[in-house]
Amino acid sequence: VPRCRGALGVAARALPHLRAWVAGPARSLPPTAVPAIAGGHRELTTSAEASGASAKKRRKKRPSPEVEAMKMRSLVPSVGGVPGAPGLGGVASLDGIASSSTPQKRRERFEGDLFYDRVIPALRYFYEVHSHLNVHKLYTVPDEPPVPEDIRGFALGKRVDNIRARGDFVKSDPGKLDALLSLGGARPAQRFVWKSKQWVFDHQIIPALRYFKRKHGHLIVPRDYVTPEFEKDLEPHVRLFALGSVSHDMRNKAKGFYLDQQPERVALLDQLGFPWETTSFEKWELRDVPAMEWFKKKHGHLAVPTTFILPDGKEAAKSGLPRIAAGVAFGLRCVQIRKRLNAGLLDTRVERKLNAMGFPENLQDAFLRRVVFPAVTYFVAKHGHLRFHSRRQAGLYAVPADTIEVPRFAQGLRLGEVFFGSVRPGAEAFAGGIGLWDGKGCGSTSSRLARYDALEAVVRFAAAKYAEETGTAAAAWDDGFADTLRFVRERCER
């Protein structure tokens, strides 16, 4: 029964005839206040006096001035470090000054000419500080020295926004309009701004994009990029401009910043070469393909070590690298490309280009085929065996430089490192020697044994080539080859 009464508490408010039952005998309502039910409908028999009492109870009590002021605090913005209502009773004053409205320090209402004595001096101050007149609608003049005392704390942004939207002060006064238009500098970017977003696009976004393209040769702007503070080639109002964030927002069709219903702005960005997609084929063509072509021309392959970083600064300019690729961690970029290639996530055009350039899908297999096999073939065809008296002797031997029988990235290779250790990238930085037979990233046992079988086939081919070229048989298999190859096989089976 208590639970039932509790559940019917809400219903009791809407059905007054249930109040007597919910309240119980001790709290029963007066007979005149209990409605009767007739014909399935409620018929109230409450007297006029009871109705008047209920109406008084339902009447909302007016909050105190302190409570009203507390509610208003959330409606008054805090701009420029000057809160609109720092304490109880804080409200925005009628003359646009965001001030504390405590009874002891309430600012007196301004009695002079608001336009000439407040707006014009505040705009002059804003121009001296920022070198333009595109005032944000939430801007408030700082309430501190060296700001002139007459305009401290003045809500300039609010007044400027009203001038733009409604023509306050200047709509019916040509003299005030002339005074407003006379402010600022000689260039259009320094005059009074009627359309804020248009001014930002014309005098900040476009100049910043043109500057970035002159410096870097492209418009793939990093999201955290900000224009330099002390760049002489930039106007003061273009310095420290968050171009990366703005570029990212312009690409976001859901936001539509600066471009919504503005086809002429989109056309202008297209003329500049602004990329609308920066994570796909466009960045690949601008940065990755030229970098790969440069690396292959310099080193003869595309097995890029993970730690390789492309040159930067003047060295990059001399080497012919595009500016977008200068200083890029190219080894890590190739690791990402290789993972996406093996997972089948790359664009078909990218895959075709990688295959045409000879980009290796597996570094160990590429190192074995293009570095180890030519070096082993050269050694066996020259000496007729693959025997080393000690690992130290094997480690000291290196394929001679300027040997035409092997590619240049295999010259200088130490065979002892191939068979008994891990190969460190040489001058031509051919990656893939680590994990060739065992260790991290070496693959499954079956793949390692497949590499060993290929190595043994190359050794037998080189021994036959030695016999053909010299006219004498190579060393016996057990005596000249078996020991070294047995050690390699044991590493593969671990």
Side-chain angles (χ1 to χ4, degrees):
V1 172
R3 181 180 299 177
C4 180
R5 289 181 177 179
L8 290 176
V10 178
R13 301 187 190 98
L15 303 176
H17 61 280
L18 292 179
R19 291 176 184 170
W21 185 85
V22 174
R27 295 180 295 165
S28 59
L29 299 175
T32 56
V34 179
I37 301 296
H41 298 279
R42 185 178 67 178
E43 292 182 359
L44 295 178
T45 59
T46 310
S47 64
E49 292 80 5
S51 299
S54 300
K56 289 180 180 179
K57 290 182 180 179
R58 292 193 301 269
R59 190 174 300 161
K60 200 170 184 179
K61 184 179 179 181
R62 183 178 182 84
S64 64
E66 290 78 8
V67 175
E68 283 285 356
M70 182 66 73
K71 291 180 179 179
M72 288 297 295
R73 290 184 66 184
S74 62
L75 303 179
V76 184
S78 174
V79 182
V82 181
L88 291 177
V91 294
S93 59
L94 296 178
D95 62 351
I97 301 175
S99 61
S100 82
S101 54
T102 55
Q104 294 80 3
K105 296 183 180 180
R106 182 182 298 274
R107 191 180 294 241
E108 296 181 0
R109 182 180 179 88
F110 181 69
E111 299 296 340
D113 192 315
L114 185 63
F115 181 78
Y116 286 110
D117 296 339
R118 291 288 188 268
V119 176
I120 294 297
L123 284 172
R124 289 195 180 109
Y125 166 79
F126 186 90
Y127 178 77
E128 291 177 1
V129 175
H130 301 283
S131 301
H132 66 84
L133 287 175
N134 186 33
V135 185
H136 192 275
K137 63 182 180 181
L138 297 181
Y139 175 79
T140 300
V141 179
D143 193 2
E144 58 186 15
V147 181
E149 188 173 356
D150 291 343
I151 60 172
R152 290 181 188 175
F154 181 64
L156 178 63
K158 174 185 175 182
R159 296 299 178 181
V160 170
D161 187 58
N162 290 339
I163 292 174
R164 293 168 179 161
R166 306 182 311 200
D168 285 11
F169 306 113
V170 300
K171 186 175 182 179
S172 57
D173 194 329
K176 291 183 178 180
L177 179 61
D178 292 340
L180 183 68
L181 297 180
S182 65
L183 297 174
R187 292 188 295 274
Q190 298 172 324
R191 315 299 292 179
F192 182 79
V193 178
W194 296 97
K195 296 182 179 180
S196 178
K197 287 188 177 181
Q198 184 68 45
W199 184 90
V200 171
F201 185 83
D202 292 340
H203 301 292
Q204 287 186 308
I205 295 177
I206 295 300
L209 286 174
R210 286 172 175 161
Y211 164 80
F212 188 91
K213 190 169 185 178
R214 288 196 307 269
K215 286 289 185 180
H216 303 281
H218 62 90
L219 286 177
I220 303 177
V221 187
R223 189 168 181 177
D224 58 349
Y225 177 81
V226 178
T227 53
E229 181 178 5
F230 303 105
E231 179 58 62
K232 296 181 180 179
D233 294 340
L234 292 174
E235 296 291 335
H237 57 268
V238 189
R239 298 170 189 169
L240 292 178
F241 181 66
L243 181 62
S245 177
V246 171
S247 298
H248 177 269
D249 291 340
M250 288 194 299
R251 295 188 190 98
N252 192 331
K253 297 179 181 179
K255 293 183 178 180
F257 282 173
Y258 302 104
L259 303 180
D260 190 26
Q261 305 297 323
Q262 299 290 339
E264 68 284 352
R265 298 183 188 177
V266 176
L268 181 56
L269 291 175
D270 287 336
Q271 292 177 5
L272 290 176
F274 184 78
W276 301 104
E277 297 290 340
T278 63
T279 59
S280 58
F281 193 69
E282 194 157 0
K283 183 182 289 186
W284 156 261
E285 286 187 323
L286 287 173
R287 184 187 66 185
D288 296 337
V289 171
M292 287 185 178
E293 292 174 345
W294 175 87
F295 188 91
K296 187 172 183 179
K297 181 179 179 181
K298 181 176 178 63
H299 299 284
H301 62 88
L302 285 176
V304 186
T306 305
T307 58
F308 185 83
I309 299 177
L310 293 171
D312 198 0
K314 295 182 180 179
E315 185 179 355
K318 293 179 181 179
S319 63
L321 269 175
R323 283 177 287 181
I324 187 175
V328 171
F330 191 53
L332 293 177
R333 176 60 182 158
C334 289
V335 170
Q336 296 172 353
I337 294 175
R338 188 174 295 106
K339 287 182 178 180
R340 294 178 62 84
L341 175 63
N342 294 329
L345 300 177
L346 289 179
D347 189 288
T348 54
R349 296 169 293 178
V350 177
E351 290 188 12
R352 288 196 297 267
K353 185 66 174 179
L354 290 174
N355 293 332
M357 289 191 296
F359 185 81
E361 297 183 18
N362 186 285
L363 287 178
Q364 284 79 17
D365 292 342
F367 184 84
L368 187 69
R369 184 179 66 257
R370 302 193 62 189
V371 180
V372 175
F373 287 173
V376 170
T377 301
Y378 168 79
F379 183 88
V380 174
K382 184 174 181 64
H383 300 283
H385 65 84
L386 198 60
R387 178 179 59 246
F388 300 97
H389 296 295
S390 65
R391 293 186 184 179
R392 177 178 175 81
Q393 180 192 12
L396 292 176
Y397 177 81
V399 177
D402 301 327
T403 303
I404 60 175
E405 290 85 351
V406 296
R408 71 172 186 259
F409 43 79
Q411 298 172 7
L413 178 69
R414 297 184 181 275
L415 290 181
E417 294 179 351
V418 174
F419 299 133
F420 307 112
S422 296
V423 181
R424 293 164 292 182
E428 300 299 342
F430 202 112
I434 299 176
L436 192 60
W437 316 116
D438 55 8
K440 185 178 180 180
C442 60
S444 62
T445 303
S446 59
S447 63
R448 286 178 281 166
L449 289 176
R451 292 174 197 154
Y452 169 79
D453 293 338
L455 175 64
E456 183 177 338
V458 168
V459 171
R460 292 184 182 277
F461 168 79
K465 181 179 179 181
Y466 171 81
E468 180 182 349
E469 291 181 352
T470 62
T472 58
W477 185 261
D478 292 339
D479 181 48
F481 304 96
D483 290 342
T484 301
L485 294 178
R486 186 184 305 111
F487 184 84
V488 174
R489 185 177 182 85
E490 290 175 355
R491 294 182 64 184
C492 294
E493 293 175 346
R494 291 175 185 172

